[in-house]
Amino acid sequence: MNIAATAAAALSVLLFVIALAAMTNGSLRVAGVSFLSASIVIYLRETMLTES
């Protein structure tokens, strides 16, 4: 079990939740940054943290 990859997946889910909550409150800037951050975390997880 790769703990760093699992933590990155949990962080991306948390960032998506933050983004959705920010969208419902009308804070689109926070939502956009959260979605972008989640995308970067997913990219880094897939390229650096998972074993091929």
Side-chain angles (χ1 to χ4, degrees), residues 11-29:
L11 177 61
S12 65
V13 169
L14 177 65
L15 287 168
F16 275 118
V17 169
I18 291 170
L20 290 174
M23 279 178 46
T24 59
N25 288 335
S27 182
L28 299 180
R29 208 171 268 152

Side-chain angles (χ1 to χ4, degrees), residues 2-3 7-8 13-14 16 19 22-24 26 29-30 32 34-35 37-38 41 44-45 48 50-51:
N2 190 348
I3 294 175
V13 169
L14 177 65
F16 275 118
M23 279 178 46
T24 59
R29 208 171 268 152
V30 173
S34 296
F35 278 127
S37 299
V41 168
L44 291 175
R45 178 184 183 270
M48 295 184 175
T50 55
E51 299 171 1

